[in-house]
Amino acid sequence: MECMAEGTINTSSPTKRFAAQRSDVLVYQTGPLADSVIVTGRLKAHIFLSSTGTDADLVVKLIDVLPGKEDGILTTTDPTGYQRLVRAEVFRCKFRNSYEKPEPLVPGQVAEVTFDLNEIAHTFKKGHRIMVQVQSSWFPLVDRNPQTFVNIPTATEKDFQKATIRIWHDAAHPSAIILPVLK
């Protein structure tokens, strides 16, 4: 897949209408598929990240991009280029090693985060593209992460800090989304 964005997520970036156009969303996309790809089973995210904060959220989305226009706008008469959400999951990084004993991220230090997304049974048709988006916020669908290692339900306004999250994808840190490809 080709990366269409920088390797950092800035939690203070302004929101734009379409996630794929936001500067704080990483977008990876295949070229048009030469043949249909059937994906069935459990998806797995294996991400290496560092943050300037002590906690972060990872939102991973798997998207089926219809062939045609690249703007992602769906109309009733022309669905070409539409980005159809297939699966998505949010993971709070303080739970990367244990749900019973949350641990803070160490600012600037690379952490390995692995989590499962929901199971899938989907066919990406010939000519479609497979897109993966990685971002750090999905507000208002998911509560805001203050980017600090605190009990979020009791967090105060001072607990909410700007943070920059870097996703690593090099030989030493092979971040990946693992798709259970049947065909």
Side-chain angles (χ1 to χ4, degrees):
M1 291 191 176
E2 112 188 44
C3 178
M4 297 172 56
E6 294 292 320
T8 59
I9 301 171
N10 186 331
T11 60
S12 64
S13 293
T15 302
K16 295 181 184 169
R17 183 168 178 180
F18 300 103
Q21 298 170 348
R22 288 176 34 177
S23 63
D24 62 332
V25 176
L26 293 176
V27 179
Y28 301 89
Q29 180 175 260
T30 67
L33 298 173
D35 294 304
S36 292
V37 175
I38 299 171
V39 180
T40 183
R42 182 148 316 262
L43 302 170
K44 183 174 285 294
H46 188 108
I47 310 280
F48 292 87
L49 67 90
S50 60
S51 177
T52 58
T54 53
D55 193 15
D57 285 349
L58 281 176
V59 180
V60 175
K61 299 185 287 185
L62 179 65
I63 297 166
D64 186 345
V65 182
L66 279 62
K69 290 186 235 172
E70 298 300 321
D71 59 14
I73 297 172
L74 176 66
T75 67
T76 55
T77 58
D78 185 12
T80 59
Y82 179 66
Q83 298 175 4
R84 178 184 301 135
L85 181 64
V86 177
R87 287 291 178 273
E89 189 62 60
V90 180
F91 188 81
R92 197 144 275 166
C93 292
K94 67 182 171 186
F95 298 115
R96 68 196 177 282
N97 295 320
S98 167
Y99 286 108
E100 291 79 27
K101 294 183 178 182
E103 300 173 31
L105 295 170
V106 177
Q109 183 176 332
V110 177
E112 184 175 4
V113 179
T114 301
F115 60 97
D116 291 334
L117 284 80
N118 291 329
E119 291 184 355
I120 186 174
H122 183 78
T123 299
F124 293 91
K125 294 181 180 179
K126 178 180 178 177
H128 288 216
R129 296 172 185 256
I130 299 172
M131 178 186 284
V132 173
Q133 293 179 0
V134 180
Q135 59 198 69
S136 179
S137 175
W138 213 4
F139 183 80
L141 297 176
V142 176
D143 65 334
R144 292 184 310 145
N145 188 317
Q147 312 304 324
T148 57
F149 183 72
V150 295
N151 180 10
I152 294 175
T154 61
T156 65
E157 194 58 37
K158 71 174 181 62
D159 293 320
F160 287 80
Q161 305 289 321
K162 292 180 182 178
T164 299
I165 300 158
R166 180 175 184 191
I167 305 298
W168 295 78
H169 46 90
D170 57 26
H173 308 96
S175 290
I177 307 303
I178 301 157
L179 303 178
V181 176
L182 182 63
K183 174 188 165 212

